[in-house]
Amino acid sequence: MDHLPTAEAAVAVLHAIAAEYAREIEVSHDIGADQTSRRTAAGIGVATDQDGSLPHEAYVELGGLPRVSVRLYPEDDALITVEGVECPDVPRDDVPAFVRSLFDGVAYVEAHRFPLGYFLIVPLPGDRTHREYMPLIHLSPWLSSRVR
């Protein structure tokens, strides 16, 4: 697993993954403390953080099924949305492996009777997984096809 020091480095890797899987990719960038979503207290016209750094946030949408979007935050984490299911706090370095697991068909949905609902299970390198709870109403056709 490579270290991705910036949001731009993660975007470059996502461009490569999109090309590898023949997926369309759309990227938008928010640069500056007054533009990023987690800097609401920054004030109008304030572009840098208090330490002088310029925060960079990117939003990436990948075409095809499953529908995947990635919001890369300046704080080295990401919010990945898969078919409407939000997976928050994914470390930036795990984003490429997470997306590859989805596109390779390795990710699956686990059904539970208690608590009633489903879990999206995304295998990651190093025998790790990302588990995200989904209530019954969130099953899209793609998610339904992955239930175990």
Side-chain angles (χ1 to χ4, degrees), residues 71-139:
R71 180 169 297 280
L72 297 157
Y73 296 110
E75 293 85 11
D76 297 336
D77 67 328
L79 167 67
I80 300 177
T81 306
V82 182
E83 291 288 318
V85 177
E86 290 187 348
C87 302
D89 302 324
V90 176
R92 186 186 302 149
D93 293 342
D94 287 341
V95 169
F98 191 106
V99 172
R100 285 182 191 280
S101 288
L102 294 170
F103 291 167
D104 286 341
V106 180
Y108 61 94
V109 174
E110 193 174 82
H112 283 263
R113 292 187 185 186
F114 187 79
L116 187 59
Y118 297 92
F119 284 89
L120 174 63
I121 311 294
V122 182
L124 298 171
D127 292 330
R128 298 176 299 128
T129 59
H130 182 88
R131 297 174 54 91
E132 200 61 48
Y133 176 75
M134 301 180 300
L136 295 173
I137 59 173
H138 278 285
L139 284 184

Side-chain angles (χ1 to χ4, degrees), residues 27-52:
V27 181
S28 62
H29 299 273
D30 292 325
I31 300 173
D34 59 341
Q35 299 295 314
T36 57
S37 64
R38 290 185 176 171
R39 303 293 202 287
T40 56
I44 298 172
V46 177
T48 60
D49 281 341
Q50 290 180 352
D51 64 357

